[in-house]
Amino acid sequence: AQSVSQHNHHVILSEAASLELGCNYSYGGTVNLFWYVQYPGQHLQLLLKYFSGDPLVKGIKGFEAEFIKSKFSFNLRKPSVQWSDTAEYFCAVNGEGTDKLIFGTGTRLQVFP
Amino acid sequence: GAGVSQSPSNKVTEKGKDVELRCDPISGHTALYWYRQRLGQGLEFLIYFQGNSAPDKSGLPSDRFSAERTGESVSTLTIQRTQQEDSAVYLCASSQGQGGYGYTFGSGTRLTVV
């Protein structure tokens, strides 16, 4: 069965700090990987996705994520966060040939000016 | 439509009443998904439609929950005899194909059972 673990439940940073949010998944085969973001009062939006090819994926707003197959990880990074990055971040996995996305429990990021 | 539309955006209901939540997916999206997000928790899968059939209902928590979809269009999620633990945000998403394409989410229905 597929599962996703996000180890950081709540992260607090100051503006300009670097960010890395952990995501590990469990699935025996090929996967598609996603990061979604939910800004306060808004709906979930796709931040970036990995299907195949270059394991370093760049998304919107300066975010990137690296797929490390040997570690079953897809960590999200941003070199310098802004106050507007305050949001909840969800990692999700879709096992090849399966129908749905399995989401992690989310990481709440608070950025202080 | 341009996005996934859900209604109502908020619903307060008394314990024991039935509620119906509606989702209007993006035109042309064959796959439709319902998730539940309880306060402080992640997204919990409920049910998946491909067209108007539901190949995966594994996430429906009890027989009080049911869902249907008309063709490749509107879906309704019905909760009968609501309980306080049903309070959550119910999210709908649609996709061009199966989950591997990624989803477009609606803004959700916040259900409060009092």
Side-chain angles (χ1 to χ4, degrees):
Chain A
Q2 304 170 75
S3 66
V4 178
S5 296
Q6 292 183 244
H7 312 295
N8 318 104
H9 298 294
H10 190 190
V11 173
I12 302 173
L13 294 172
S14 298
E15 274 192 322
S18 64
L19 170 72
E20 181 160 2
L21 302 182
C23 173
N24 287 90
Y25 68 91
S26 172
Y27 185 73
T30 303
V31 292
N32 300 314
L33 296 157
F34 306 82
W35 276 97
Y36 280 83
V37 60
Q38 188 171 28
Y39 297 103
Q42 296 187 29
H43 62 275
L44 280 155
Q45 302 169 42
L46 182 65
L47 198 55
L48 50 78
K49 59 188 177 185
Y50 171 81
F51 286 174
S52 63
D54 189 344
L56 184 62
V57 179
K58 295 195 184 295
I60 60 172
K61 303 187 181 185
F63 285 91
E64 65 179 31
E66 185 175 12
F67 171 47
I68 303 179
K69 189 174 180 180
S70 61
K71 295 184 178 180
F72 298 90
S73 70
F74 190 56
N75 292 356
L76 182 70
R77 299 195 294 248
K78 185 171 183 178
S80 176
V81 294
Q82 300 174 314
W83 175 78
S84 58
D85 294 324
T86 293
E88 187 138 19
Y89 293 80
F90 293 90
C91 181
V93 64
N94 164 251
E96 191 177 54
T98 65
D99 303 329
K100 58 185 183 278
L101 296 186
I102 302 298
F103 286 83
T105 51
T107 297
R108 184 177 168 216
L109 172 66
Q110 280 185 289
V111 180
F112 289 95
Chain B
V4 177
S5 176
Q6 289 188 248
S7 61
S9 54
N10 278 285
K11 175 73 177 178
V12 180
T13 190
E14 291 181 353
K15 180 181 171 181
K17 300 281 190 184
D18 297 352
V19 295
E20 193 172 276
L21 312 180
R22 177 188 167 107
C23 173
D24 202 342
I26 291 174
S27 178
H29 279 193
T30 58
L32 186 148
Y33 304 81
W34 284 98
Y35 284 78
R36 178 169 71 176
Q37 186 178 21
R38 288 170 161 159
L39 189 64
Q41 299 186 23
L43 278 73
E44 177 187 5
F45 170 77
L46 298 178
I47 187 170
Y48 152 62
F49 287 92
Q50 182 66 36
N52 64 0
S53 66
D56 190 347
K57 307 178 186 179
S58 63
L60 294 178
S62 75
D63 59 8
R64 296 187 295 105
F65 287 72
S66 63
E68 61 181 27
R69 187 180 184 194
T70 307
E72 293 185 354
S73 183
V74 172
S75 174
T76 54
L77 176 69
T78 301
I79 309 173
Q80 296 179 307
R81 306 181 302 281
T82 52
Q83 303 294 313
Q84 288 186 328
E85 62 263 27
D86 299 334
S87 296
V89 176
Y90 289 83
L91 292 166
C92 177
S94 69
S95 174
Q96 286 180 301
Q98 294 180 345
Y101 288 91
Y103 300 164
T104 301
F105 279 92
S107 53
T109 294
R110 181 175 298 278
L111 176 66
T112 304
V113 182
V114 297

